[in-house]
Amino acid sequence: MKTAAPSPKTERNFFQDVHEVVRLIPTGRVSTYGAIAHYLGARHGARMVGYALIAAAPALSLENVPAQRVVNRNGLLTGRHHFATPTAMQEALEAEGVRVENDQVVEFKKLFWDPATELE
């Protein structure tokens, strides 16, 4: 991620970087845990991206970190269990115009947003 070196007062951490990238995913698009991890230089850090989103849930609302826009590499809503209700993730995506069937994003490849190509 191309950012200025943090000053001692504002040290960054991986979770904050994940939240920052997730905030950049446009409405109506989705990204994956792995794509975000790869962009942040943690090639095998998909699970850590998930942990960062779980950590954001109690402290930040979906408006601040739209975690519903992050799905697994096949477009499945694997994070749905971490939302307030079992259908909340799907409902949030559908409110943004993303169609979901059987817990999977329809037209996933078309809606996929890769930070490595979109932000470089």
Side-chain angles (χ1 to χ4, degrees), residues 88 93 101:
L93 284 168
E101 292 178 3

Side-chain angles (χ1 to χ4, degrees), residues 34-102:
I36 293 168
H38 184 73
Y39 176 72
L40 294 174
R43 188 165 172 242
H44 300 287
R47 192 166 298 209
M48 288 298 296
V49 171
Y51 295 151
L53 295 177
I54 292 167
L60 305 168
S61 65
L62 289 178
E63 293 82 36
N64 289 324
V65 180
Q68 75 274 11
R69 297 179 190 156
V70 184
V71 297
N72 85 351
R73 64 187 172 143
N74 298 312
L76 291 169
L77 311 188
T78 53
R80 70 185 178 281
H81 304 294
H82 301 286
F83 284 75
T85 67
T87 59
M89 183 177 186
Q90 179 173 340
E91 291 165 3
L93 284 168
E94 289 174 340
E96 297 181 348
V98 176
R99 234 177 57 195
V100 177
E101 292 178 3
N102 299 318

